[in-house]
């Protein structure tokens, strides 16, 4: 069948099962947009106000659905505006295919209007990218792009197609399968490594599981739980591993690292075995690397060979898909009583509390707002966050009941993720409740997307934790830069009026007693709602590992907070 290049792109998307695209048209991808209505409603297009939001919404859509997220942009600034979103997907292993229009072939390399070498720019932040100069190659290239994006360790792929290639006609030939040369991601672990890992678990008296994003990507929730229960091993989840294990499970210990639970940081330092599943030992987890887990042997379950030994040298590696690896390992492990280890963990939890704060009726504490949202939704929602203090509190107090319901930017730490991220999640899960927990600084980086929310009637509930500052920057300046607060104070707009300008219900809470009422009203309102929570401005996020310090050097809660925690039992605690 003869088609134009633009029609081929859309036909490929249909054959790859794509139902949703986030994008913004421009001169170099107008042939694609010209053809797009012929594929409605099989493909739904969401017009964003900035291309970065298209990439971030596609990222969030992919995280929730497990399918490849797709975004469109034009050449030059349209394509470069995608870069932050592509880098975000790269750092967090999210399958995204970005399709950009390019200047016509005769202008490539001549600095034509809105020309940018987007394939060159994105080499370090994509699994692969393509510049398509022959219209006949479009089906093969897109077939490969989707295969590469979703297989092995997922990630973004960019396909750049000149405008005149989109307009050319050729025979559409769909390849039966994708066979990118030299690309064979591992799936099955070595059986001898599985036996060795099971032996290490049997020998261990103080083991811990560190579960990361790989568990969620592989949808290995049941397998992880089986390993924990079968081998009787407590579970810590990284930031991106949150919601990969039930937060109310008796074996769950919470998050480790820079703002993780104090007890976890000390427990990692005392463990004799770490079972790391789908995580890459990034610095926010390990603290100062040379002092990380000094007594532990390490089992690393990982699908990407490039991550093995990059930061922490494993004793045993199970190379392959996390779900497959865990199934093989579960067949080999046996229950072992570890009462002394569990007693020690309980003692650490009591001696180093991490989740208490003053209950002040005159001020709104950010922790209280976040706890109240979890409580009043009964955890039955998707929770999308930005980056900063509010993100860490949302992670610390997480009580969602659904697997894969905590959506956040981890590796890149992209401020402004919360709005386009929530859009992607709400589009993916139209019948479910979506809360965006926002910082007042990050919110203003992508708040133009409130227009996308309103235009499409997406009933997202936005909770702005408004402390009038770039809160984490202020905290670092206070603690590590002599209290010299520079460029961290924010003069914010009236967020309620901003919401109303977009036709969105705006609410505000300035006292503690206001908080339940506005959350309740937001839950009862059928459309989008923005709540401006005016919280205590100088609240700091603890525990905290200072930059460059070890986990053993974690700064605990302030003494007046610790005094509010339940008193330790008679269990002996080493300081």
């Amino acid at each position: 069948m003869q088609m134009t290049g633009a029609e081929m792109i859309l036909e490929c998307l249909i054959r790859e099962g794509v139902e949703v695209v986030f994008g913004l048209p421009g001169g170099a991808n107008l042939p694609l947009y010209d053809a797009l209505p012929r594929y409605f409603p099989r493909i739904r297009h969401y017009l964003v106000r900035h291309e970065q939001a298209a990439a971030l919404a596609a990222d969030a859509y992919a995280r929730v659905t497990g399918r490849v997220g797709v975004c469109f942009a034009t050449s030059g600034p349209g394509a470069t505006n995608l870069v932050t979103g592509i880098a975000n997907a790269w750092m967090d292993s999210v399958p995204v295919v970005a399709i950009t229009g390019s200047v016509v072939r005769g202008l490539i390399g001549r600095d034509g209007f809105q020309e940018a070498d987007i394939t060159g720019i994105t080499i370090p932040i994509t699994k692969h990218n393509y510049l398509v100069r022959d219209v006949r190659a479009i089906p093969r290239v897109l077939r490969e792009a989707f295969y590469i994006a979703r297989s092995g360790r997922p990630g973004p792929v960019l396909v750049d197609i000149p405008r005149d290639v989109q307009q050319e006609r050729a025979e559409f030939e769909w390849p039966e399968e994708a066979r990118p040369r030299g690309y064979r991601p591992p799936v099955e672990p070595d059986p001898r490594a599985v036996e060795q890992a099971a032996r290490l678990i049997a020998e261990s008296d103080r083991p811990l599981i560190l579960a990361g994003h790989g568990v969620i990507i592989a949808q290995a929730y049941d397998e992880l739980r089986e390993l924990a229960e079968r081998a009787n091993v407590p579970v810590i989840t990284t930031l991106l591993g949150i919601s990969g294990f039930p937060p109310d499970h008796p074996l769950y210990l919470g998050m480790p690292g820079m703002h993780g639970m104090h007890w976890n940081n000390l427990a990692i330092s005392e463990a004799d075995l770490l079972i790391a599943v789908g995580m890459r030992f990034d610095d926010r987890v390990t603290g100062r690397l040379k002092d990380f887990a000094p007594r532990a042997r390490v089992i690393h379950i990982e699908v990407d060979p490039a991550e093995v030994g990059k930061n922490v040298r494993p004793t045993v590696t199970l190379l392959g898909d996390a779900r497959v690896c865990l199934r093989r390992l579960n067949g080999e492990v046996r229950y072992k009583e570890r009462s002394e280890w569990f007693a020690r963990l309980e003692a650490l939890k009591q001696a180093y509390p991490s989740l208490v704060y003053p209950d002040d009726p005159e001020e709104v504490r950010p922790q209280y707002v976040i706890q109240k949202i979890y409580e009043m939704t009964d955890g039955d929602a998707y929770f999308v966050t930005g980056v900063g203090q509010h993100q860490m509190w949302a992670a610390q107090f997480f009580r969602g009941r659904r697997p894969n319901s905590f959506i956040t930017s981890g590796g890149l730490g992209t401020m402004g993720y919360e709005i386009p991220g929530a859009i992607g999640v709400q589009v993916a899960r139209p019948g479910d409740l979506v809360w965006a927990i926002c910082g007042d600084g990050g919110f203003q980086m992508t708040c133009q997307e409130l227009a996308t929310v309103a235009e499409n009637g997406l009933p997202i509930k936005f909770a702005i934790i408004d402390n009038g500052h770039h809160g984490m920057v202020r905290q670092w300046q206070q603690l590590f830069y002599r209290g010299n607060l520079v460029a961290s104070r924010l003069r914010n707009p009236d967020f309620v009026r901003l919401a109303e300008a977009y036709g969105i219900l705006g609410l505000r809470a300035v006292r503690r007693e206001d908080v339940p009422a506005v959350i309740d009203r937001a839950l009862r309102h059928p459309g989008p709602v923005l709540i401006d929570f005016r919280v205590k401005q100088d609240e700091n996020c603890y525990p905290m590992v200072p930059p460059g310090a070890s986990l053993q050097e974690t700064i605990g809660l302030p003494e007046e907070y610790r005094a509010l925690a339940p008193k330790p039992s008679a269990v002996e605690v080493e300081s």
Side-chain angles (χ1 to χ4, degrees):
M1 181 188 300
Q2 285 269 323
M3 291 184 182
T4 66
E7 290 168 334
M8 287 185 186
I9 295 168
L10 296 164
E11 182 65 27
C12 291
L13 298 189
I14 293 290
R15 294 186 184 225
E16 289 290 346
V18 174
E19 298 174 348
V20 169
V21 173
F22 302 92
L24 201 157
N29 67 356
L30 277 182
L32 180 59
Y33 275 86
D34 188 52
L36 186 57
R38 295 198 287 279
Y39 291 82
F40 292 158
R42 290 180 293 170
I43 295 176
R44 307 196 306 279
H45 178 266
Y46 289 85
L47 172 65
V48 296
R49 271 47 177 182
H50 189 286
E51 290 87 351
Q52 183 188 116
L56 293 174
D59 167 302
Y61 177 90
R63 292 183 198 233
V64 170
T65 61
R67 301 162 69 179
V68 177
V70 179
C71 54
F72 290 168
T74 188
S75 63
T80 57
N81 282 345
L82 292 178
V83 167
T84 297
I86 293 172
N88 195 74
W90 168 254
M91 292 290 281
D92 287 355
S93 309
V94 181
V96 169
V97 169
I99 300 174
T100 51
S102 178
V103 297
V104 297
R105 283 167 289 185
L107 284 179
I108 291 176
R110 296 174 182 271
D111 294 335
F113 177 66
Q114 291 193 333
E115 185 193 6
D117 178 12
I118 193 62
T119 53
I121 290 169
T122 57
I123 284 174
I125 55 169
T126 53
K127 286 185 76 175
H128 196 53
N129 63 31
Y130 299 86
L131 171 60
V132 184
R133 293 174 178 268
D134 185 340
V135 66
R136 295 169 298 178
I138 289 176
R140 174 188 60 79
V141 165
L142 283 172
R143 191 86 160 111
E144 290 181 2
F146 276 82
Y147 175 70
I148 292 171
R150 66 176 164 244
S151 58
R153 178 181 175 178
V157 178
L158 182 134
V159 182
D160 195 30
I161 307 178
R163 176 167 55 82
D164 55 333
V165 175
Q166 298 172 44
Q167 293 169 314
E168 276 191 345
R169 297 186 72 84
E171 194 69 22
F172 180 84
E173 296 181 5
W174 180 245
E176 288 303 315
E177 59 180 335
R179 289 178 177 272
R181 185 179 300 172
Y183 179 71
R184 297 289 181 273
V187 176
E188 286 278 353
D190 183 336
R192 292 169 297 181
V194 174
E195 292 176 7
Q196 190 179 356
R199 191 162 56 248
L200 291 183
I201 294 171
E203 292 170 357
S204 170
D205 294 320
R206 296 188 167 203
L208 289 171
I209 293 173
L210 293 181
H213 196 201
V215 171
I216 291 173
I217 292 170
Q219 299 182 25
Y221 318 113
D222 293 341
E223 289 77 7
L224 175 63
R225 182 170 179 158
E226 182 179 347
L227 174 64
E229 293 176 348
R230 185 182 285 258
N232 194 29
V233 179
V235 177
I236 294 170
T237 56
T238 68
L239 176 67
L240 292 183
I242 290 174
S243 72
F245 193 81
D248 57 352
H249 194 288
L251 289 172
Y252 185 58
L253 295 177
M255 185 176 72
M258 181 167 275
H259 291 286
M261 302 301 100
H262 197 162
W263 60 74
N264 281 343
N265 291 348
L266 298 178
I268 288 171
S269 303
E270 296 183 13
D272 64 3
L273 177 69
L274 297 181
I275 308 167
V277 188
M279 56 87 67
R280 58 185 177 85
F281 296 105
D282 81 273
D283 61 291
R284 289 297 173 111
V285 168
T286 65
R288 190 167 58 233
L289 202 53
K290 73 181 183 65
D291 296 317
F292 177 69
R295 305 175 189 178
R297 295 188 287 187
V298 175
I299 299 169
H300 197 182
I301 299 175
E302 174 59 49
V303 73
D304 184 357
E307 290 297 337
V308 176
K310 188 170 79 176
N311 295 323
V312 172
R313 186 179 297 277
T315 312
V316 179
T317 301
L318 273 58
L319 197 59
D321 175 84
R323 191 176 191 180
V324 175
C325 289
L326 287 172
R327 284 180 175 174
R328 301 293 177 268
L329 186 57
N330 286 339
E332 300 291 332
V333 298
R334 300 290 179 269
Y335 186 87
K336 181 177 179 178
E337 188 60 55
R338 296 184 172 95
S339 54
E340 288 186 14
W341 180 223
F342 282 96
R344 176 60 182 161
L345 293 173
E346 186 58 32
L348 289 173
K349 289 175 73 171
Q350 293 186 5
Y352 301 95
S354 303
L355 295 174
V356 289
Y357 56 90
D359 187 15
D360 185 348
E362 295 303 318
E363 289 189 296
V364 180
R365 298 274 176 170
Q367 303 96 318
Y368 174 73
V369 172
I370 290 166
Q371 262 197 307
K372 211 65 188 170
I373 290 172
Y374 286 137
E375 178 186 318
M376 293 183 67
T377 59
D378 195 25
D380 189 17
Y382 289 91
F383 304 95
V384 186
T385 82
V387 170
Q389 286 180 315
H390 68 283
Q391 176 193 34
M392 294 297 102
W393 283 313
Q396 290 176 343
F397 289 90
F398 177 75
R399 284 298 176 270
R401 290 199 285 116
R402 302 180 182 198
N404 191 20
S405 58
F406 186 76
I407 313 300
T408 194
S409 170
L412 195 65
T414 305
M415 290 178 64
Y417 181 82
E418 55 266 59
I419 301 179
I423 290 171
V425 173
Q426 189 71 82
V427 168
R429 297 286 184 260
D432 291 323
L433 178 61
V434 178
W435 276 86
I437 300 174
C438 317
D440 49 339
F443 185 85
Q444 293 178 77
M445 293 184 178
T446 53
C447 63
Q448 77 283 347
E449 300 306 327
L450 290 179
T452 309
V453 171
E455 183 175 80
N456 293 283
L458 302 174
I460 301 164
K461 316 305 178 188
F462 296 96
I464 301 179
I465 309 301
D466 179 0
N467 59 10
H469 289 82
H470 288 299
M472 193 62 85
V473 175
R474 182 203 53 74
Q475 178 170 336
W476 280 46
Q477 289 176 333
Q478 177 192 332
L479 297 178
F480 309 119
Y481 293 87
R482 310 172 308 283
N484 188 24
L485 305 186
V486 179
S488 52
R489 180 82 171 89
L490 293 171
R491 180 180 177 182
N492 288 329
D494 185 325
F495 289 119
V496 172
R497 293 178 67 182
L498 180 68
E500 291 169 350
Y502 284 104
I504 292 173
L505 175 62
L507 304 171
R508 177 171 290 124
V510 296
R511 292 171 51 86
R512 184 180 182 281
E513 64 187 20
D514 301 334
V515 173
V518 294
I519 294 174
D520 179 66
R521 189 173 175 198
L523 289 172
R524 287 187 287 106
H525 184 72
V529 181
L530 182 156
I531 310 174
D532 179 18
F533 290 100
R534 296 282 179 87
V535 301
K536 185 173 183 291
Q537 293 205 347
D538 58 353
E539 185 74 8
N540 285 341
C541 184
Y542 294 109
M544 180 179 192
V545 179
S550 72
L551 296 185
Q552 297 93 320
E553 297 168 283
T554 301
I555 302 172
L557 297 182
E559 188 53 43
E560 62 269 28
Y561 289 34
R562 289 164 57 99
L564 300 171
K567 300 303 178 190
S569 67
V571 178
E572 191 68 25
V573 179
E574 300 171 12
S575 61

